[in-house]
Amino acid sequence: MSLSRREFLKSSAAASAAAAIGMNVPAELEANANAAENGWRWDKAACRFCGTGCGIMMATKNGKIVAVKGDPAAPVNRGLNCIKGYFNAKIMYGADRLTQPLLRVDANGNFDKKGKFAPVSWQRAFDEMEVHIKKALKASGPEGVAVFASGQYTVMEGYAAQKMMKGGFRSNAIDPNARHCMASAVVGFYQTFGIDEPSGCYDDIELTDTVVSWGSNMAEMHPILWSRVTDRKLSDPDRVKVVNMSTYRHRTSDLADIEIIFTPNTDLAMWNYIAREIVYNNPDAIDWDFLKKNIIFAASPVNMGYGMRRAGEPSVMPVRADGSAGKYNAKEMETYNHEMVHVVSENEAPALEPYGYKAGDKMVNKPAGLKHWEISFEEYKKFLAPYTLDYVAKVSKGDPDEDIEEFKKKLQMLADLYIEKGRKVVSFWTMGMNQHTRGTWVNTLSYNVHFMLNKQALPGSGAFSLTGQPSACGTAREVGTFCHRLPADMMVKNPKHRKKTEDRWKIPHGTLNPVGNQHIMKIHRDIEDGVVKFAWVNVCNAYQDSANATHWIKAAREMDNFIVTSDGYPGISAMVSDLVLPSAMIYEKWGAYGNAERRTQHWRQQVLPVGDAMSDTWQWVELSKRFTVNDLWGPYTLRNGKKLADVRGEAEKMGYTKDTTMYEILYANKEAKSYKIDLDSFPQKGYDNSDCNGDSRNVIGSDGKVWKGFGFMIHEYLFEEYAWFGRGHGHDLAPFTTYHKVRGLKWPVVDGKETQWRFNAKYDPYAAAAVAKSGNGSTHAFYGPLAKALTQGDLMGIKDKNKKSLKNKAKIFARPYMEPPEVPDAEYDTWLCTGRVLEHWHSGTMTMRVPELFRAVPEALCYMHPETAKDKGLKQGELCWVESRRGKVKARVETRGRNRPPRSLVFVPWFDEKVFINKVCLDATCPQSKQTDYKKCAIKLYKA
């Protein structure tokens, strides 16, 4: 049978579409499709993009990916993909794909920081990295070597990177771009439940009566989940209600029964308003039996600052008479000075009155860490008193053109939906609540409402944080690639956790560094301060994705340091770097991701990498061959005076010599080599493995010889060693081979079965065991172990330092509404919000290389209200300046687009490196989670 290209495409597409929705496929169509696909090999994989975790089917032929479709067997997406998902193959074949290492050199080929990029061998690349890492260790100790890590690492990549950084270099300066993404949700989970990640699952969508989206444009950011929400709404339109909470109108608004446009930061006030409605006006709705068995009330300091630079840091010294300081101009310092002293505003004053503040008072801010204590219900009730409907409507109404009485009605309707007996409610959120100077606070406030109504960790009800990145859960959080974490919710500051990790990694006790404070913004600041001398960008675009970007780019290019970027394409971070390494992209390597509902998914290498690209796992493991016990495990003194012991003697007692490499200890030990290459058995049979076996490209490796592979199944070893930490501890993962047979499993996986609703004794074996042991007859057990003994006090502070156990209990927090450190004023009179659009992923490094996606949205626009444009003398389609105290960019005016801001705000997405909006954004963070707030800063607009 001979088919034209048009017939081929039509037959394959029609057959796939019909199969995805369960239609019978006509015999002729099926025959044509089969003929068209002759010689194709189909295999399952996970989508490269958002945290939804869609399953895809991928066809390869003659060493290239030729087709991608949604996986009908995948429970997340059930055969559907979003527009980005359908282009998973094309992200790998852009015209400017990096294919060999590039080093800045002078005319003689020597490294020169001011030189031009020239191709070098992998051996030369690793030679340079070795030299500059050793130089950084000598100058600054372990704090001088840093990694910008990623929620887009595969599980194996992240675990390999963490082992070398923390076990080898003894550095905790590894932090993922998930810090920008989900850190506030993480700390909210820790503080509330004592353990990370959501209690519910996506099945809640089909079971609920009410979906409330808090600061999450689900229609564009999680489109497959939104398709499920839409299906649920349309299946029972009278009963099912959808509420969109946002600072501007967007596509999620189109389905909503209620749309609430609020002023940035006032989600805190609205959550507390709903809680007040429950406590003061609907006390019968409180499930006191549930609360008494499962919940305590807690408070924390309010004068903790905004996560910005503090006075006295090297780059803000000296302070000058004109208001500038160090490397920061006077305008920037107007905002940074709020970090030390904040004057309480009229809007904040009612919320802060229970803490003893009034309007005009100077609040002296001090670092507070994660400090909190138990309070009584009466203290919590006192805290809620200010959040009346009148007060909350006044501070939170975000559209200046909306009638205040109409806005009040919406707030009351929102509260009524939560409170209605028998109504199931799911609260979804993403960056709107996480990228927030009080991100941890607002995350915890969401659980308050659900707990009081006993609508948490139940089918169809719960507060649910949606992850932004494909493995922000699986790698950043579960593997523990944050600076303060170890695998499976363990912490570097906890000596028992360090010992457990050292024992499993077979390294001397005392090797691991207990100080883990170099989060992503601190790494940037430490580069600017001259502390970090070597930084490696992995699977992210750290110099495009960080707020106040001009400072960090200048520091990278002008300070005495060495910056490396591993990437598939030459993005801004690559251009900023001294060395660029070509990375294998997602389907050119074996991997695993963990999605937002705790679902772990694996895939096999589908094709060979392009050019001489190699995986990030390979890069880390090859680097480890360059460093010995003698190089790394001697004594160090950290900046805070903490000393790391010389553990070389202990290493010798363990059988290592001073010349034993980190490769031999961390990656190629006896256990690792027990994971055999088996090309005759599932899942390895028929699939490439460039890391373990080498491949037909005959890449010249880091030793100058043709790469022949590690010779053992390193991916299985890394996964199984990582999984060991969680098994038996409420974080159980299935075996490596099992994941290649299934479409993912939601952990904890106990006796081969996944868990849908954690902490619920009916569904979660760990909760069932805890309830049985306690004998209290509860339906739930919040068994997370962190911060489960608290001192006692009131809103003003601790009164009794004796700690009281709250085993198996969760917390309701008193946390007030406060403004961000920068709000619009006479000069900078408009709010700026940033984010993504449906067609592009993060910095656009991949999706801007896909012709169809580029043509669909070729540039980032400045979305604004038509009246805003008129007031500023701007017209649709022309260029304007968007300027803050930190910088300015040109963007094209859009008054008719999908995003429809009120007059008080503009929205500019950040995928376009030519519209570099992160030069404008403020690098304020939540002081507890250290997550950057990209959703609110003050700007001015004028004609370009």
Side-chain angles (χ1 to χ4, degrees):
M1 182 185 296
S2 177
L3 291 176
S4 70
R5 176 174 172 78
R6 179 179 293 275
E7 290 168 332
F8 154 77
L9 292 172
K10 285 171 63 179
S11 299
S12 294
S16 296
I21 61 175
M23 286 177 58
N24 290 324
V25 181
E28 182 181 358
L29 180 65
E30 187 171 15
N32 285 345
N34 290 336
E37 297 180 9
N38 183 41
W40 291 11
R41 180 188 70 185
W42 286 99
D43 197 24
K44 73 177 182 72
C47 179
R48 175 62 179 79
F49 299 110
C50 77
T52 300
C54 293
I56 62 173
M57 294 298 292
M58 183 163 285
T60 54
K61 184 177 182 178
N62 298 329
K64 191 164 183 176
I65 300 170
V66 293
V68 175
K69 62 184 179 182
D71 183 357
V76 171
N77 55 310
R78 305 164 184 178
L80 294 176
N81 278 154
C82 77
I83 188 64
K84 290 191 298 295
Y86 286 116
F87 290 106
N88 266 290
K90 284 199 172 184
I91 63 173
M92 297 165 56
Y93 300 124
D96 60 343
R97 180 77 190 269
L98 294 168
T99 59
Q100 55 191 327
L102 301 170
L103 178 68
R104 290 187 184 273
V105 296
D106 61 19
N108 297 316
N110 298 314
F111 168 66
D112 182 351
K113 195 165 180 70
K114 298 186 185 301
K116 295 182 179 180
F117 283 117
V120 295
S121 66
W122 276 111
Q123 184 176 33
R124 174 71 189 281
F126 281 104
D127 287 346
E128 293 290 343
M129 292 174 76
E130 178 185 348
V131 166
H132 289 281
I133 290 171
K134 287 177 177 176
K135 179 181 174 183
L137 288 169
K138 185 175 181 180
S140 300
E143 292 165 306
V145 176
V147 172
F148 293 105
S150 180
Q152 298 166 66
Y153 270 143
T154 69
V155 166
M156 296 77 149
E157 287 167 348
Y159 188 68
Q162 174 170 247
K163 281 195 85 173
M164 186 59 197
M165 280 296 287
K166 295 178 180 178
F169 295 133
R170 309 178 79 181
S171 172
N172 292 324
I174 175 172
D175 210 55
N177 58 357
R179 177 72 69 177
H180 296 315
C181 168
M182 299 307 299
S184 294
V186 172
V187 182
F189 282 121
Y190 280 160
Q191 293 209 327
T192 302
F193 299 98
I195 192 171
D196 193 10
E197 302 208 29
S199 53
C201 60
Y202 296 160
D203 294 351
D204 286 326
I205 295 171
E206 283 74 32
L207 298 172
T208 195
D209 305 311
T210 319
V211 171
V212 186
S213 176
W214 288 79
S216 175
N217 184 359
M218 288 179 68
E220 294 201 55
M221 304 309 110
H222 295 85
I224 296 302
L225 293 184
W226 193 243
S227 73
R228 291 175 63 170
V229 171
T230 302
D231 183 59
R232 175 64 184 135
K233 169 64 180 172
L234 297 179
S235 70
D236 191 355
D238 294 331
R239 172 64 178 171
V240 176
K241 301 299 179 186
V242 175
V243 184
N244 184 41
M245 316 278 292
S246 180
T247 58
Y248 62 96
R249 298 195 73 193
H250 44 64
R251 284 182 172 174
T252 300
S253 307
D254 297 339
L255 186 69
D257 297 281
I258 304 170
E259 179 186 62
I260 295 176
I261 303 299
F262 61 91
T263 299
N265 239 60
T266 59
D267 42 6
L268 293 153
M270 291 185 294
W271 275 117
N272 284 330
Y273 159 71
I274 300 168
R276 188 188 190 281
E277 280 294 293
I278 295 168
V279 169
Y280 280 82
N281 297 329
N282 296 272
D284 293 344
I286 300 174
D287 189 330
W288 277 109
D289 182 63
F290 175 82
L291 291 188
K292 287 174 181 176
K293 290 175 179 175
N294 298 292
I295 306 296
I296 64 99
F297 296 87
S300 57
V302 297
N303 59 327
M304 61 181 187
Y306 305 95
M308 299 184 290
R309 278 197 176 277
R310 293 192 65 81
E313 293 181 5
S315 291
V316 287
M317 293 291 287
V319 178
R320 304 180 189 92
D322 66 356
S324 65
K327 298 173 182 177
Y328 291 77
N329 64 44
K331 289 290 185 184
E332 290 177 280
M333 292 308 298
E334 287 176 2
T335 299
Y336 284 126
N337 287 333
H338 286 276
E339 181 63 23
M340 279 57 74
V341 178
H342 169 68
V343 178
V344 175
S345 73
E346 293 287 345
N347 281 345
E348 293 172 305
L352 293 172
E353 189 276 332
Y355 296 88
Y357 292 98
K358 62 182 183 299
D361 284 354
K362 289 186 176 180
M363 177 182 283
V364 178
N365 292 320
K366 302 174 184 177
L370 302 179
K371 181 180 179 182
H372 60 280
W373 55 89
E374 186 173 355
I375 61 172
S376 67
F377 172 73
E378 290 306 316
E379 281 292 294
Y380 177 67
K381 187 174 181 179
K382 174 179 160 186
F383 154 79
L384 289 177
Y387 297 95
T388 62
L389 181 58
D390 285 343
Y391 168 61
V392 173
K394 176 189 171 187
V395 298
S396 63
K397 185 173 78 73
D399 182 352
D401 298 321
E402 183 172 14
D403 180 75
I404 188 72
E405 295 304 319
E406 288 300 311
F407 188 77
K408 287 181 186 178
K409 287 178 185 177
K410 290 181 182 179
L411 287 179
Q412 185 66 65
M413 289 166 67
L414 173 68
D416 290 345
L417 286 173
Y418 277 100
I419 294 166
E420 182 184 328
K421 209 163 188 65
R423 173 170 286 277
K424 298 176 182 178
V425 186
V426 178
S427 303
F428 285 121
W429 67 91
T430 322
M431 297 311 126
M433 274 173 48
N434 292 336
Q435 292 178 342
H436 202 306
T437 52
R438 292 294 181 265
T440 298
W441 283 13
V442 73
N443 268 264
T444 59
L445 293 182
S446 69
Y447 303 115
N448 293 0
V449 169
H450 284 268
F451 280 150
M452 284 193 287
L453 301 170
N454 191 7
K455 293 185 179 183
Q456 179 67 31
L458 290 169
S461 281
F464 197 130
S465 162
L466 291 175
T467 313
Q469 297 187 80
S471 202
C473 289
T475 308
R477 295 158 72 173
E478 295 163 23
V479 169
T481 55
F482 283 93
C483 65
H484 62 290
R485 289 180 71 159
L486 292 166
D489 287 330
M490 296 194 299
M491 302 292 164
V492 297
K493 70 177 181 181
N494 187 316
K496 292 180 180 178
H497 293 175
R498 294 198 305 276
K499 182 178 182 298
K500 181 177 179 178
T501 305
E502 288 163 344
D503 288 342
R504 188 66 181 87
W505 289 354
K506 296 180 175 58
I507 61 179
H509 293 162
T511 301
L512 293 181
N513 181 345
V515 180
N517 60 13
Q518 285 176 280
H519 55 87
I520 243 176
M521 288 313 308
K522 186 164 176 57
I523 292 172
H524 277 306
R525 293 166 186 168
D526 279 350
I527 293 172
E528 188 175 53
D529 288 348
V531 175
V532 168
K533 302 289 188 181
F534 177 93
W536 190 1
V537 179
N538 281 193
V539 204
C540 66
N541 196 346
Y543 285 92
Q544 186 175 339
D545 72 24
S546 291
N548 203 2
T550 301
H551 273 274
W552 323 129
I553 289 174
K554 186 176 181 181
R557 294 306 313 134
E558 296 181 5
M559 300 290 290
D560 176 22
N561 54 45
F562 191 78
I563 311 295
V564 182
T565 290
S566 295
D567 205 339
Y569 292 105
I572 287 177
S573 294
M575 294 298 98
V576 166
S577 296
D578 302 300
L579 174 66
V580 181
L581 304 179
S583 283
M585 293 184 70
I586 178 169
Y587 309 115
E588 297 170 341
K589 57 193 177 185
W590 290 65
Y593 279 163
N595 80 345
E597 63 168 354
R598 311 183 315 280
R599 182 181 298 275
T600 307
Q601 302 181 80
H602 285 232
W603 66 90
R604 298 180 278 199
Q605 182 176 335
Q606 302 297 315
V607 291
L608 298 185
V610 171
D612 286 346
M614 295 296 288
S615 78
D616 292 80
T617 299
W618 180 88
Q619 293 173 37
W620 272 103
V621 176
E622 285 299 285
L623 180 68
S624 73
K625 295 177 178 178
R626 301 298 185 106
F627 296 90
T628 66
V629 166
N630 198 51
D631 290 331
L632 301 182
W633 286 357
Y636 294 103
T637 301
L638 304 178
R639 278 179 289 182
N640 66 355
K642 177 77 176 179
K643 294 185 182 297
L644 299 184
D646 185 336
V647 296
R648 290 173 294 188
E650 290 303 310
E652 288 187 25
K653 293 177 186 177
M654 296 175 72
Y656 305 132
T657 72
K658 64 183 177 60
D659 296 321
T660 303
T661 66
M662 293 299 121
Y663 172 69
E664 297 167 278
I665 297 170
L666 299 176
Y667 304 111
N669 50 57
K670 183 178 179 181
E671 180 185 353
K673 290 180 178 180
S674 71
Y675 289 90
K676 302 295 185 183
I677 300 296
D678 185 358
L679 299 180
D680 295 322
S681 301
F682 180 86
Q684 297 179 45
K685 186 176 181 179
Y687 285 83
D688 288 308
N689 192 329
S690 297
D691 290 345
C692 300
N693 303 333
D695 60 50
S696 59
R697 295 175 301 154
N698 291 323
V699 173
I700 305 301
S702 68
D703 58 359
K705 300 175 183 177
V706 173
W707 174 248
K708 297 295 186 181
F710 295 121
F712 58 95
M713 188 53 175
I714 195 169
H715 307 294
E716 185 172 7
Y717 162 63
L718 290 170
F719 180 80
E720 288 294 337
E721 184 177 271
Y722 145 67
W724 175 88
F725 287 98
R727 289 174 180 152
H729 304 285
H731 200 133
D732 308 64
L733 295 166
F736 178 86
T737 301
T738 298
Y739 286 111
H740 285 282
K741 297 176 181 177
V742 300
R743 263 57 175 186
L745 293 169
K746 298 186 288 286
W747 61 263
V749 181
V750 180
D751 297 328
K753 297 178 181 178
E754 65 179 5
T755 299
Q756 290 174 288
W757 290 277
R758 292 168 82 206
F759 313 126
N760 187 319
K762 185 176 179 180
Y763 303 97
D764 182 344
Y766 282 93
V771 167
K773 187 174 181 180
S774 70
N776 70 354
S778 179
T779 55
H780 292 70
F782 299 101
Y783 50 78
L786 300 175
K788 286 301 180 76
L790 292 183
T791 54
Q792 314 297 298
D794 56 25
L795 293 175
M796 303 300 288
I798 297 168
K799 305 302 178 187
D800 180 353
K801 292 184 179 180
N802 293 311
K803 290 190 175 182
K804 176 181 168 185
S805 172
L806 48 136
K807 187 177 181 181
N808 292 328
K809 291 191 174 185
K811 301 163 193 168
I812 286 177
F813 278 92
R815 279 167 164 167
Y817 161 66
M818 292 182 71
E819 291 179 336
E822 186 173 274
V823 299
D825 58 18
E827 182 177 4
Y828 300 94
D829 59 357
T830 303
W831 288 107
L832 168 69
C833 178
T834 66
R836 293 196 283 115
V837 295
L838 171 65
E839 293 82 357
H840 289 296
W841 173 245
H842 281 199
S843 61
T845 311
M846 294 179 289
T847 52
M848 288 288 272
R849 267 79 183 180
V850 177
E852 294 86 347
L853 297 176
F854 177 81
R855 285 196 298 268
V857 183
E859 64 178 322
L861 304 173
C862 182
Y863 294 89
M864 66 180 69
H865 193 282
E867 289 299 317
T868 302
K870 184 178 178 181
D871 290 345
K872 304 296 181 184
L874 303 170
K875 293 180 180 178
Q876 164 72 22
E878 71 180 14
L879 293 172
C880 71
W881 283 108
V882 181
E883 181 177 342
S884 73
R885 289 170 171 84
R886 291 156 294 283
K888 63 181 183 178
V889 297
K890 268 192 250 189
R892 199 169 302 281
V893 173
E894 177 57 80
T895 61
R896 303 177 303 200
R898 64 180 82 169
N899 300 299
R900 293 148 279 172
R903 287 189 291 111
S904 53
L905 180 143
V906 298
F907 172 75
V908 183
W910 67 280
F911 68 84
D912 188 352
E913 63 184 40
K914 294 184 290 297
V915 183
F916 196 174
I917 196 62
N918 279 337
K919 293 194 298 183
V920 176
C921 295
L922 174 64
D923 59 312
T925 71
C926 168
Q928 295 183 305
S929 71
K930 316 303 182 188
Q931 180 161 357
T932 320
D933 189 344
Y934 295 88
K935 299 302 178 187
K936 55 199 79 76
C937 72
I939 55 104
K940 57 185 174 183
L941 299 162
Y942 53 95
K943 192 170 184 175

